[in-house]
Amino acid sequence: MHFDDRLATVLRHRASGDRAARTQFRQLLDLLGSKPRPRDGERDESLMAAAWLRLGALGETIPAEDRAEMISDPGLRFRSAELAAHLAEDEPEVAAAALSRANLSEDDWDALVPRLPVRARGFLRLRK
């Protein structure tokens, strides 16, 4: 049996200082964006809720331009429609980076687009 405790490990540490906050924000982006959609019972909902809260809190301390740059990093695993929807609500540069970078299935895009804010839908034309 394989147990994935990466998210718990990231959340266990408090990000004290700018460098730690940026590192943890990037780690959370990668972990939250790495799976398209878990199966029922596959994850601990309280752990996921804590991850989303921490991502939001860290996002408030990191300038939008820097967050957009992290999201645009080609090494970031971004296969989560949930993460794309979350970041689409953010500042324009963050939303644009997220929607241009997200690597979603056609079904995920079909489900996501109607949920996007009108402003964020305009960023979809920037996708290649």
Side-chain angles (χ1 to χ4, degrees), residues 4-52:
D4 186 355
D5 66 344
R6 293 175 298 168
L7 193 55
T9 301
V10 169
L11 293 173
R12 191 173 312 126
H13 301 283
R14 284 284 165 208
S16 56
D18 184 60
R19 176 177 267 174
R22 289 168 187 271
T23 299
Q24 192 169 81
F25 185 82
R26 176 61 173 81
Q27 289 171 327
L28 288 170
L29 284 175
D30 195 52
L31 291 171
L32 292 171
S34 65
K35 288 187 177 180
R37 187 173 311 177
R39 296 180 193 99
D40 289 337
E42 186 176 287
R43 64 181 181 186
D44 179 350
E45 292 301 324
S46 63
L47 188 62
M48 291 301 294
W52 288 110

